[in-house]
Amino acid sequence: SELAKKLGMDVPLLTRLSQAHPSAVAKLSLQFRMNRDIMDLANQLVYKNQLRCGCDSVAQQLLELTNFPNDVVSHSSGVTSDQWLADVLRPERAV
């Protein structure tokens, strides 16, 4: 809304804080949460290839969907509305 803009609410809080306190800003270069494939995507889109995995165990981590319906995950014949989901959820795919 116009009122929100007038009150400065169109600027994200972290932007305002980083502008007010530039010495408190640190560049993220090591991360410990994303596997390597997801990190590579973030690297290309945001970090200009400067982000690194903090440890190999996280870098190689895959999501295991043990309670997900097997008929969707293992579906391999024919193209259905669930085929894209089955392809995305294959255990060997990280992204």
Side-chain angles (χ1 to χ4, degrees):
S1 75
E2 289 302 315
L3 178 58
K5 286 182 184 180
K6 286 180 184 178
L7 295 173
M9 294 181 194
D10 60 331
V11 179
L13 176 61
L14 291 178
T15 299
R16 287 189 278 152
L17 287 171
S18 66
Q19 290 171 346
H21 307 281
S23 63
V25 175
K27 181 173 72 172
L28 176 65
S29 59
L30 279 180
Q31 63 82 25
F32 295 85
R33 298 181 68 184
M34 297 176 274
N35 79 1
R36 183 168 282 115
D37 292 335
I38 294 172
M39 183 201 68
D40 286 345
L41 179 61
N43 248 339
Q44 291 176 16
L45 295 175
V46 178
Y47 290 98
K48 299 178 183 172
N49 209 31
Q50 297 175 355
L51 194 58
R52 300 289 174 250
C53 288
C55 64
D56 285 336
S57 63
V58 171
Q60 298 168 10
Q61 190 70 35
L62 295 176
L63 180 63
E64 293 182 30
L65 300 171
T66 55
N67 294 324
F68 203 84
N70 284 335
D71 58 332
V72 174
V73 175
S74 63
H75 180 71
S76 61
S77 61
V79 176
T80 68
S81 60
D82 293 335
Q83 183 62 47
W84 70 271
L85 184 57
D87 290 341
V88 169
L89 295 176
R90 284 195 332 258
E92 66 275 4
R93 278 189 70 155
V95 177

